[in-house]
Amino acid sequence: MTPPDSLRVAAVQFEHRDGDKAYNLGRIRDLTRQAVTAGAQVVSFHECSISAYSFVQPFSKEQLLELAEPVPDGNSIRELIDIARESNVPVLAGLFERDAGEVYNTYVCVTADGMQAKFRKLHAFVNPHLSSGSEYVVFDLLGWKCGILICYDNNLPENVRMATLHGAELIFMPHVTGCLPSVMPGRGLVDPKLWKNRITDPVPLRQELNGPKGRQWLMRWLPARAYENGVYAVFTNPIGMDYGQVRNGQSMVLDPFGEVIAECHALDDDICIGVCTREKLEVASGRRYIRARRPELYDRLLEPPTEPPVTRPGWNLESDTTGEPGA
């Protein structure tokens, strides 16, 4: 039985197709239906789930502009609103947005009534022609204060703290990450043959995805973001092949104690539903830590870096903006 004053949030994973918006929106429609049948009140998908993401690494500015769409007036957002209307739930998904000659990595929340929120990734990644957003977004959704931070944004603790200070109780964290090249011990790529053979021989793939290349890496930092701020975190991530590399999926919902309360485990498209309750928000340690802050001691946080800000993967030290997605 669902407790009163709660919210049932679905975190979904699926194997997208690069640049195939029709296919990806079709999967979003089907999986939204399945999530609602399972009891979800909100359904969320991964970063750039409408268009796919990593394949734009070699794109020129002109190619990005051609792929991107205006928000909320583009065809994809209109179809996403239709999906929300059909299933009568808010739906969250991502795409590339075109605006005034710039391209942004954007994530939206829509309902049957239209677009409710739009967030542009603060730390644009993967292609040097992408522009970064410049503001936090916190919005009302079914009586809850919700924020959005995209992928790399969540690797900077300041961003999650700022979204919380803006009032967020639940933060959607759409990603395209995991199983990436890295200088960190135990990390690296997963052999695509393991994905291809997942039905007949799933054990080697599970060992890779659950190890330091995938889930173990997530567990180094993702629970901390929820715990230290006393918020629910809704992590979404694709599963399967993404621009020639394997992604680990493992979409999940974490509570304000940093505990995983729902998680996708299938080596396939999958849905998990986390029940979020206000009772946990009221007693979470992170809420107490926020009240214990002493901002007068934090003046160094406001000083600009001694070097120009960069967003780049740790294994690519030659470029500030190119490389694979992730952290």
Side-chain angles (χ1 to χ4, degrees):
M1 182 177 180
T2 304
D5 200 20
S6 64
L7 188 66
R8 295 176 60 87
V9 181
V12 183
Q13 66 185 35
F14 73 95
E15 186 178 23
H16 56 226
R17 293 182 182 174
D18 294 346
D20 193 340
K21 297 178 187 178
Y23 173 82
N24 295 333
L25 282 164
R27 292 307 294 139
I28 289 171
R29 185 181 297 274
D30 290 343
L31 290 162
T32 296
R33 290 170 178 161
Q34 294 176 34
V36 170
T37 298
Q41 296 170 283
V42 179
V43 185
S44 60
F45 295 87
H46 60 265
E47 173 185 20
C48 285
S49 46
I50 292 172
S51 56
Y53 175 60
S54 307
F55 78 107
V56 305
Q57 290 177 58
F59 275 30
S60 66
K61 181 68 172 291
E62 290 71 24
Q63 288 174 307
L64 279 174
L65 285 166
E66 184 177 353
L67 175 69
E69 301 182 37
V71 174
D73 298 323
N75 292 334
S76 292
I77 298 300
R78 284 196 287 267
E79 183 165 349
L80 198 65
I81 292 169
D82 183 67
I83 292 169
R85 184 178 297 117
E86 174 189 282
S87 291
N88 196 32
V89 292
V91 178
L92 294 97
L95 75 168
F96 291 107
E97 176 192 6
R98 181 175 68 244
D99 182 36
E102 300 297 322
V103 180
Y104 300 91
N105 180 341
T106 294
Y107 197 75
V108 300
C109 175
V110 305
T111 69
D113 296 324
M115 193 176 76
Q116 301 301 304
K118 179 182 77 171
F119 173 79
R120 292 170 171 172
K121 190 174 185 177
L122 300 175
H123 301 271
F125 215 63
V126 93
N127 184 296
H129 301 297
L130 287 171
S131 298
S132 294
S134 58
E135 61 182 1
Y136 297 99
V137 171
V138 174
F139 59 101
D140 292 317
L141 185 64
L142 301 180
W144 287 66
K145 293 288 187 181
C146 295
I148 299 169
L149 292 168
I150 299 175
C151 201
Y152 196 89
D153 295 343
N154 293 282
N155 290 103
L156 279 71
E158 294 89 343
N159 287 329
V160 185
R161 175 54 53 88
M162 284 301 299
T164 305
L165 290 175
H166 279 285
E169 301 165 317
L170 182 155
I171 300 178
F172 292 96
M173 300 179 177
H175 279 65
V176 175
T177 195
C179 305
L180 296 159
S182 175
V183 297
M184 292 173 58
R187 295 204 61 200
L189 301 175
V190 170
D191 188 342
K193 292 180 181 177
L194 297 182
W195 175 255
K196 182 178 179 180
N197 296 331
R198 68 191 182 280
I199 295 176
T200 57
D201 191 17
V203 173
L205 179 61
R206 286 197 182 278
Q207 290 173 336
E208 289 279 73
L209 300 191
N210 289 330
K213 295 179 180 180
R215 193 178 191 278
Q216 286 183 18
W217 172 69
L218 292 174
M219 291 299 103
R220 291 178 185 271
W221 60 271
L222 185 56
R225 298 295 176 266
Y227 172 78
E228 64 200 3
N229 293 290
V231 295
Y232 283 93
V234 181
F235 169 84
T236 45
N237 195 36
I239 185 78
M241 298 309 299
D242 169 53
Y243 194 50
Q245 297 179 354
V246 179
R247 300 287 168 249
N248 55 303
Q250 295 165 327
S251 293
M252 64 181 77
V253 181
L254 299 97
D255 72 11
F257 304 121
E259 300 289 347
V260 177
I261 59 173
E263 182 175 356
C264 294
H265 296 287
L267 299 177
D268 202 345
D269 298 359
D270 199 10
I271 298 162
C272 69
I273 298 175
V275 179
C276 307
T277 66
R278 294 198 179 281
E279 181 182 6
K280 288 184 178 180
L281 289 173
E282 294 167 359
V283 298
S285 298
R287 295 285 157 166
R288 186 171 70 253
Y289 301 156
I290 288 175
R291 295 195 299 271
R293 289 177 306 113
R294 296 183 58 190
E296 71 274 11
L297 300 178
Y298 309 151
D299 55 307
R300 291 293 296 272
L301 287 174
L302 300 179
E303 295 180 6
T306 56
E307 298 180 357
V310 297
T311 299
R312 63 187 177 196
W315 61 90
N316 182 354
L317 302 180
E318 300 301 322
S319 170
D320 291 346
T321 53
T322 61
E324 303 298 337

